[in-house]
Amino acid sequence: MRKLQVRDADIIRLAVQDEIQRSEESRYDHRLHGILLVCSGLSCTTVAELFGQSRRSVQYWVRRFEQSGFAGLQDTPRPGRPAVINESVRKAIGVDLRQVPLDFGYSQNLWDGKLLSHHLYKRYRVKVGQRQCQRLFHQLGFRLRKPRPLIAQADPERQAQYKKTGSSGQKKRS
């Protein structure tokens, strides 16, 4: 029987390893397979080479499995920086973003990261940077909308000739 080969194996290996790292469940399965191979007689070094892990990581898996069983292979909560915005404030922000900034006394017509940062500090005493506010828009399901600039006293017919999209929203084809 012919040996099967994967094209671009090095790139595929990196992609699979990234995919494993993304999910708690797949990381657990990955560790289970590592333990299974060690139980089958392979050394931690060999398993580490096969899995693209360090030898030390595989040794940690084996020790944790011996001490705690299957529970030792599951991901534990990782401590991180505490959230600045709690869930009640997050819901209130979602309500605020559904209103026009003019309703809050701002001179802008649309929300942006800078205005939201100012609004959060003024209304909720939460200091968040502009970039984090842009991420917050995305997390709450909003998208950035920018008004198209209009030139004063411009001819609408001539402007229509230079528009990127037609009135139907589809690009013009030449």
Side-chain angles (χ1 to χ4, degrees):
M1 183 176 232
R2 222 174 66 202
K3 181 181 174 185
L4 295 177
Q5 291 183 334
V6 175
R7 278 187 257 155
D8 300 325
D10 292 333
I11 295 170
I12 298 299
R13 177 178 293 166
L14 291 173
V16 169
Q17 288 171 343
D18 284 345
E19 188 64 30
I20 289 169
Q21 292 301 319
R22 283 194 188 112
S23 164
E24 277 185 39
E25 191 174 308
S26 62
R27 284 192 299 270
Y28 173 71
D29 291 343
H30 185 64
R31 292 180 193 126
L32 278 175
H33 287 112
I35 296 297
L36 187 61
L37 290 174
V38 170
C39 290
S40 298
L42 294 179
S43 69
C44 289
T45 306
T46 306
V47 172
E49 288 172 2
L50 286 170
F51 280 34
Q53 299 283 330
S54 69
R55 177 179 53 87
R56 197 85 177 121
S57 292
V58 177
Q59 290 172 344
Y60 284 138
W61 300 346
V62 172
R63 275 197 206 109
R64 288 185 354 220
F65 182 72
E66 287 174 343
Q67 291 172 355
S68 306
F70 294 110
L73 297 178
Q74 294 180 346
D75 279 341
T76 56
R78 296 182 178 130
R81 186 176 183 177
V84 176
I85 301 172
N86 61 33
E87 195 57 37
S88 63
V89 172
R90 183 181 288 264
K91 287 180 183 177
I93 293 168
V95 171
D96 290 353
L97 289 176
R98 285 180 174 73
Q99 297 176 21
V100 181
L102 296 171
D103 295 345
F104 295 100
Y106 301 120
S107 59
Q108 286 181 227
N109 199 22
L110 295 174
W111 291 101
D112 63 5
K114 189 174 181 179
L115 180 61
L116 182 58
S117 176
H118 173 76
H119 178 70
L120 290 176
Y121 185 72
K122 183 178 172 186
R123 184 141 190 203
Y124 302 104
R125 292 292 178 230
V126 174
K127 192 167 188 171
V128 179
Q130 178 177 346
R131 181 66 184 116
Q132 184 62 30
C133 287
Q134 292 169 347
R135 285 188 203 103
L136 188 59
F137 278 124
H138 181 70
Q139 291 168 359
L140 293 172
F142 292 93
R143 62 183 176 87
L144 181 62
R145 290 176 38 201
K146 292 183 181 179
R148 289 192 180 190
L150 295 176
I151 300 171
Q153 301 171 350
D155 181 16
E157 289 179 19
R158 290 186 69 192
Q159 277 185 332
Q161 293 174 350
Y162 291 98
K163 273 192 172 182
K164 290 180 183 178
T165 57
S167 59
S168 66
Q170 296 177 350
K171 287 189 176 185
K172 292 182 178 179
R173 298 178 192 238
S174 45

